[in-house]
């Protein structure tokens, strides 16, 4: 069953070991921030630093594992029709909208949406790690290290599938940042399936 | 007073608001992993994701702030004679030495050294964030996203100075990973001064 995350909102749910999470961009050019925690001990969470280190690359795609802060594999990417996602930058937040966009009355962003969705599971905002930013397109200038946030390469119907390696708690959003989504706010679809 | 961190070891100490921490590479081509926590509430720590996002670059240098997971500035880089440091990859660890180097009996790495040095301050290993890897030289291939760990650009006597923006707890190492230090293990020197 396909579930819908409304524009600029987020959800949390359990994903059991062996289950697959398909994150779909229904209209194209929309980002979904994903975080994952060990369901049985939520002090263990995805780690961009370890995942990038062990993969020796910043752009993860089919076949690549997403490691935790304890160097265990929490998720594995098993399908990916886009091939460009970001694991460098934090979820957008009220502070980010103030600092980067100069918004006087900022939206709570993916960070606020994740915090609200994860609170019932006992996750404190401080414990939300750098997200795996599905479909987010962040090129790096190799010489200067400058990054840019460009429109996603995803087109309507594109998707990525993650397989849970242990029982997980997932946080997932339809991203709230204009720059990340080519300045339109769209929904994200997702689906949980048994091991296939 | 210059203090010495022996090869493949680490320390923790307090750094008060306005104090400057100078991290010196005494022999050249040696990395120092740095983490920082709010001294009064150690759930607040440096965040690579927020720092990279707000700076819009992966290579931070003079003038750049290092943000926390709460989007506050914990440190500011006020001098830097090298200009190339890493904020992408996690501290080296026993798991890293197993996964990347294939070591059967791995060293505990910077992660183990930081965990041991920070334990008396009540910091759990799970709470150690991606470090700011002083002098670490990690070029990125813009097209593929591949990263390489190359010898540091630092030469004997090179240094970087951080100014504390609030009272902090600092963890600092002389890095234990061969690749990061051109395959020799050297000390790191540091010095704490009042605002100058």
């Amino acid at each position: 069953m396909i579930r819908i995350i409304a524009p600029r909102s987020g959800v949390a749910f359990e994903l059991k070991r062996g289950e697959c999470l398909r994150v779909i961009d229904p209209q194209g050019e929309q980002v979904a921030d994903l975080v994952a925690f060990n369901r049985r001990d939520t002090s263990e969470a995805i780690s961009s630093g370890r995942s990038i280190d062990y993969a020796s690359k910043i752009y993860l795609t089919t076949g690549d594992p997403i490691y935790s802060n304890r160097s265990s594999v929490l998720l594995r990417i098993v399908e990916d029709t886009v091939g460009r996602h970001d694991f460098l930058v934090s979820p957008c937040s009220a502070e980010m909208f103030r600092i980067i966009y100069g918004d006087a009355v900022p939206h709570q962003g993916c960070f606020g949406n994740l915090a609200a969705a994860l609170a019932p599971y006992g996750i404190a905002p401080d414990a939300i790690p750098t997200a795996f930013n599905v479909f987010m397109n962040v090129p790096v200038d190799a010489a200067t290290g400058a990054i840019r946030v460009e429109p996603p390469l995803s087109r309507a119907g594109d998707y990525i599938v993650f397989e849970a390696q242990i029982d997980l708690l997932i946080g997932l959003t339809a991203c709230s940042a204009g720059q990340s989504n080519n300045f339109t706010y769209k929904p994200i679809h997702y689906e949980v399936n048994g091991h296939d």
Side-chain angles (χ1 to χ4, degrees), chain A:
Chain A
M1 188 184 73
I2 288 182
R3 292 182 169 79
I4 296 172
I5 305 177
R8 304 188 101 179
S9 75
V11 297
F13 54 89
E14 295 181 43
L15 188 71
K16 292 202 185 304
R17 176 166 186 249
E19 286 183 335
C20 285
L21 167 64
R22 184 184 304 263
V23 180
I24 305 151
D25 185 350
Q27 298 177 21
E29 296 189 341
Q30 175 63 39
V31 165
D33 286 12
L34 178 142
V35 293
F37 302 83
N38 177 344
R39 183 67 192 95
R40 307 196 189 284
D41 180 354
T42 54
S43 296
E44 182 172 21
I46 59 168
S47 164
S48 58
R50 293 203 187 275
S51 301
I52 290 170
D53 195 16
Y54 301 159
S56 291
K57 58 183 176 181
I58 58 172
Y59 301 130
L60 304 185
T61 185
T62 307
D64 288 325
I66 297 181
Y67 282 91
S68 76
N69 52 343
R70 295 181 193 163
S71 296
S72 296
V73 180
L74 299 194
L75 291 158
R76 193 175 293 276
I77 302 173
V78 293
E79 279 187 80
D80 179 7
T81 67
V82 177
R84 174 56 67 96
H85 316 280
D86 172 72
F87 211 178
L88 298 181
V89 304
S90 292
C92 60
S93 62
E95 295 76 17
M96 188 281 268
F97 285 120
R98 263 190 224 107
I99 293 170
I100 296 191
Y101 290 68
D103 292 355
V105 185
H107 191 272
Q108 70 175 3
C110 286
F111 185 75
N113 289 330
L114 288 169
L118 291 164
Y121 296 92
I123 309 289
D126 284 340
I128 296 174
T130 295
F132 184 80
N133 302 306
V134 174
F135 309 132
M136 190 171 181
N137 182 13
V138 182
V140 177
D141 182 305
T144 66
I147 63 171
R148 300 187 311 286
V149 179
E150 298 206 337
L153 302 181
S154 50
R155 290 181 292 188
D158 272 329
Y159 62 85
I160 183 171
V161 181
F162 303 90
E163 185 187 74
Q165 306 300 299
I166 61 168
D167 290 352
L168 296 171
L169 171 64
I170 300 287
L172 189 66
T173 70
C175 176
S176 305
Q179 224 178 23
S180 303
N181 312 305
N182 209 7
F183 296 95
T184 58
Y185 306 114
K186 288 153 289 193
I188 282 289
H189 292 180
Y190 71 99
E191 188 177 26
V192 174
N193 292 313
H195 199 301
D196 55 14

